[in-house]
Every structure is written in C-alpha cells, then in structure tokens.
Amino acid sequence: MSRSSTAAIDIVSQLKTAIAHHQSGNLERAERHYRQILSDDPHHPDTLHLLGLVAHQRGNHEHAIALFERAIRANGHCAFYHNNLGAALKATGKYNEAIASYKKAIQLQPGYAEAVYNLGCLLLVMGRVSEAIEWYEKAIHIRPDYGDALCNLSAAYITLKRPDEAIDLCKQALSLNSNNAVALNNLGNAMMAKKRPQQAIGWYRKSIIAKGNNPEAHSNLGNALHDVGEQEQALASYRRALALNPKYGEAYTNMGIVLRGLGRLSEAADCYRKAIQLRPKDAEAYRNLGNIYNDLGLLNHAVTMYRRAIGCDAAANHTHVNLGIALEALGKTEAAIRSYSNALEIDANDAKAYSHLIHQLLDLCAWHQIDPLNEQLDRLTARALRNGEKPDEMPFLNLTRHADPSLNGEVARAWSNEIKRQFAGIHPFYPAGERKPSAKQKDARKIVIGYLSNNFKNHPTAHLVQGMFKHHDRTRFTVHCYSYGEDDKSSYRQNIMAASDRFVDLRTMSHVESARRIFNDGVDILVDLVGYMKDHRLGIPAMRPAPIQVRWLGMAGTTGADFFDYLIADAVVSPPQHACFYSEALVYMPDCYQINDNTQPLVDGDITRDRAGLPEKGVVFCSFSSRYKFDPVMFRLWMRILKQVDGSVLWMLGGPARAEENLKAFARSCGVRAHRLVFAKKISREAHLQRLTLADLALDTRLVNGALTTSEALWAGVPLITLQGAHFASRMSSSILSAAGLPELITHSLDEYEALAIRMASNPEQLLTMRYQLETNRLQMPLFNTRQFVRHLESAYLKMVDLYVAGEKPKPIRL
C-alpha cells in the first residue's frame, strides 16, 4: 500500500471520527479533528465545509463564510456548500448574497428541497412574502411530507391575512406529526388573525405541551390571554417566555403593552427599555416607549422615541400617527399634519390617521380639505362596526362630525366593549347585574360619593363643578374626589381639594390599584366626569369598584358601556325618545344637566372696546367656542348675518395664523371683508368674563354647541342664539337657555336662526332689555342656582341607592 493511500485512509478515518463528535454535539473535539485533517490537506473541501458548520453553529458567522468559500473554491459543484454559505450570509444580514448562494445550490441540485425551503425563509424575513410562498410551494412539491415547509408556508399566509389557507396547511403538517409544535403554534396565530383568541389559547397550550421550552409559544399565549382580558395570566406567560430566553426582546415588548393597558406605566417603560437593549432596531419598542412618555406628558421625550422608531422602520404608519399626536400636543400643528399625511401615504386606510388629521384640520378651519377625508373615515368606521370591531375613530370625534345619536352610540359602545374585554380577566368588585342589597343600609351611614376626573384644575369641567362640593349635605353624604390629572396649583384645584372630604391623587396608581382604592374607600356612587375625552381612564370604572356608577359632564353623550348605570341628563339634551341610544339609564334633571358656579367673579373694570380691539360702533357678535366646533354651513350663515347688519363684527378666539387666515379667506369668499373678523387673545378666565360684557349677541355653533361658553356668555349678560340639533352635543345650549329662562332664543332651522339674529341685532332696545333681564335675574334662574342643582342631584343619588338596595336594575329617574 502506497503512502498516499495510507494518508487518504487516515483522513477518511479522522473525518468519520470528527463527524461522530460533531453529531454528538461535541464541537470542540470535532473542530480539533477537522483542523488536524487540514494540517495534512489544507484544501480538503468536506473538512473546510464541516469546520465552517462548527463556526456557524457557534455564532462565528464571518469565519464560517470564509471557510465555506474556501470549500467552494476547492469544489464549486457541491450544492450543500452553497446552501450552508447562504445560511451564514443570512446570519450576517448579507441577504442578497445569501439569495445568490441558495439559488446556486438549487441550480446545482434542482431537487434540493432544503435549499428551496431556506430561500423561502430568507425571502419571508425580507418581507417578500409572495416570493417566499412560491419557494415554499416548490419545496413541498419536491417533498410533500416537508413539515417545516408546510408550517412556514402557513406563517406566510397568516402574514398575508389569509388565515383559512394557513389552517389547511397546519392540518396537513399535523397529519404528518400530530405533535408538531410549530404547526400547533401557527394554528393559534391563524385563530388570532381570525379574531378568535379563545380558540388560539387552546392551540398555543397544545403547542406548549408538545414543546414546552418554546418561548415564542408562551409569548403568543400571552398575547391571546391579553386579548380575552386575562392580563395577569398574560404577564405570567411572558415571564415564562423570558425565563426560557432572557434575550427574547419581543416578549418584553408584549409585556409592556399589557402593563401600559393596566396603567402600570413605570413597569411598562422598563420592559420597552429592555427590549431596546436586546434589539436596538426594534421600532415597536421605541414607539411604545414613546407612548409611555406621551401618557406621562413628557412630549419632547415621546417625539424623540417616535423619531427613533421611524429611523428603524419608516414604513410603520402607526408611528407617524403617534408622532403627530405628540407634535399636536406641543402646538406644532403643521408638523403634526405632515405626520398624519405621511401615515396615510403609507396606508390609505389608516382610520386613526384620518381621525387625527380631520380633528387638526377642523381646528385650523381648513374645511376645503376635510370633505374627502370625512368620506374615507366614514367608510372605515362603518366597516369596523360591521365587522364587530372597535373603529379607530374616537367617540368624541364621531359626535362632532355626526348629529346621529344612534351612530354615536354604536361607536362609543365598540370602544367600551374593547375596554371591558381588556379587563375581563379581573373580577369586578361589583359585578354588573348583581343588585345585592348593601351590607350597610343607606340610613345607617352617610352615602359616599366619589367624583373621578383628570380635570380638577384650570379646565372647563372644574369651572363648572368647583362650587358644587361645598353644597353637598354632609349629614347625608361624604364627598371624595379621585384625580388622575396634573396638579396645576390653580385656584380651581385648591378650591376643590379644600371642599372635598377626601382628595386622592391616582396619577401614580395603575388602573387596578385605583379601582381597589375606590373600593376600599367604600365609595357607594362613583361619578365619572370625563367620558371619552382626552387622557380618560375608563379602565377604572370598567372594573366596577362602586356598586353604582354614573356618567356626567365631559363627553356629551353615551359611553355605550354597561359598566355605567346612569347618565345625568335632562329632557332637552336627551328627550325620552332618545333613551334607546343610551346604554345608561337616564337621570332627567328638572332644569338642566349642567351645573354652574354662581360665585365665579364678574369684576367691573376699565375694559373698553378699543382695548379689546373692537370697533367703537356697531353690533359685536361673538362666538368663543373652540374652532373645531365651527363648520362651513354655520360660518357661511354668520357671514350672511354680518352682511345684513351694517358695521357689525364677529369676535372670536384667535389661534394659529393659518386658522385665522382660513377664516378670513372664507369670509372674503362670502363677500365679507376680513377686518370684520376680530380675533381675541387668550387671557385668564376672570379677564375673559370681564371682556365678554363688551359683546352684544353671542352666536352658537351647530354640530357641537357651546357648553361652558354658552353659560359664560349668559353669566356675562350676553344673550345667545342657538340652533337645536338632533343629539346631546347639539342640544346643550337649548337646555342651558331653557334653564336661564330664555327659550325664545332657541331656533329650529338655519333660516329661523338667521332671522332672529338679524332682528335682535337691528333692535338695540330689545338687546338692552334682554341684557338687563339676564344681569338682574341670573341668580334667580335655575341655571345659576348651584345650591338647588346640588339638592336635585342628591335626590337622584338617593333614588339610585333606593333602587340598588331594593335589588332592582337601574331605570330612568325623573326629578
């Protein structure tokens, strides 16, 4: 036997030994043998290839690439070498080079199913889903029993939102192996895509039984549990996923989402930071951390996080929307609009982007841009409601766009159902429908009322209610205030704190902790003063921490929630025939749903027309409502009024230059010179009430009436004309005027509104008589009788308790 033959036998022998160690997982000994072979034959292709595999398995992908390339130079016709080179290139992010390697392997061996499958996997990672599907199908054609290819093809179909096809493929994979954990997990994903989280939970649990050490299945189970409201179980699933893989950044992101929903913001932020440490390019984690900063009012920090998220994934339309919301809150209107527009360029069906863009354009009175956007949002909202989903359109925006109480109720109900689902796994303190007599009868102790709001500060809600607390009968009631808004150190905040028996700051408490505090405090009647307004925390009443729960003020309309029993209204804003549009039983106050503070200052001063920027002569019409309440129909009517009342002006709050220019341009298009629009600067409320006395006649808005602005005008002695509409928001001023003894100022058509305004403006004596009537009678009228309002409200509370103690369901209360 020749020496060369002996050497060849030695290499074969050593290679067999090395491969045996390699297959048993002893990479160190395998590597030692591979290197010994290469010391004798540096160009031995199989050994170079296998040593490259060792490097790849150890995560040293660059070294693996070099070894695979040496093997290919020694033998370029082996498909396996090219396939494994593709895997190492993929691991280093060299995707295009990896594609070329996989295709070379397939060219050399057309029936090489693994290379075909691997190419599909790479294309899926690259987001080229349709191409990935083609290669998976080719792999299955080569090997019909290729379970991994069936599973990955099912995942691709889920990505394309074709869950039914994915389900069929998973079932094929399970027919080959009933314990295929990936197929079971994918079935769960398909059920989630079909919005069947309960069924998904079952499949995820089967996947975990088949392979309990799969962190992805545990994390996915957490997502499904989150969707059915089992938040604590969801958190436990994420923790199990992280115990299996402490570097599983996605589980941290998912956990943060649940914690934020529970109001545990600090813990959620920690999760997102950990996710970012593990995955510095995780756009979702940056976006979610931005959401936390937004929740906390740290708007500049939020903007920074959103921009980092966009840097990682510029095609994520939701991030552009969230950036717009933060910029809007910072007063950067134009930048916010650009962000919303960017989101719509990415996804023309982004209803949330439409919602916020419309709201912003309404504030700018850019009405010429809004109509096509309204059409798109209406289409998307209708589609979501048809599908039983929560529309992205906010309930408050819907009632500002549509005076349709039925539609308003549908949108609000969908939002409330989502909140209820989120907290479904937390047993309510007082389950809905269980009307059990209280252990402490109402005659044996004081009734505890809890007012819940984020607006116990210089805010319209506080302006209205601050005088209420001192009038509550302390022989029968104890009054608690639960605040989750900022402490602005204003007199309103201080007055409410001083006049309540207990003032509790919930800002640092989670929703669950807040609800538990309210329950532990023994609150009998919890009154939410916010509804679906900015930064609401309706998750707190969703857990029913009080036996009786009431909605009042805040949003003008129903919440659609079964976790509120009553809504404080009156027969004007919510006539009995509208009761079917409300989820709450209506409490019909005898005069008006709105309380007012009859101690608010109206200081005499040296305010003059000249100092206010008003002309010395001529009728001054005013409308100090927020600009989002303006609309082209009513503004055009106002311009007709100005044209028919010589020398008159329209006095409004000023705003961004673009808003003022839009209004001036609209006036000019109506034949009214721009100087007849007068824009007032923002000043303190006390000073504003003083300058209001300079106006002659207030003109109310249409789809959403003035509320506080209406009662402020009347308090200042300024008559106001309103047009009664079809839903709560468009009937508020009618209610207020009725309670002020001025029902003659309520109109029922645009023509009637216009005629009345012109008639009054043309009759100075009538205006003076009405002003005198307002100034002399305001403290005698029900609208400004704070004490009497509180007595009526307390009567309503007592009737609620009577019904509860009797074990009866909530029903309408008429006072």
Side-chain angles (χ1 to χ4, degrees), residues 658-683:
R658 182 177 168 188
E660 294 184 10
E661 287 304 317
N662 282 336
L663 290 173
K664 290 175 183 177
F666 193 91
R668 286 192 290 267
S669 73
C670 295
V672 174
R673 296 178 67 182
H675 76 272
R676 297 182 69 181
L677 304 184
V678 180
F679 297 100
K681 294 180 180 179
K682 188 173 183 178
I683 55 178

Side-chain angles (χ1 to χ4, degrees), residues 242-263:
L242 289 165
L244 291 167
N245 181 4
K247 295 184 178 181
Y248 191 12
E250 188 175 348
Y252 277 117
T253 298
N254 292 338
M255 184 184 293
I257 291 169
V258 173
L259 290 167
R260 181 186 177 222
L262 291 171

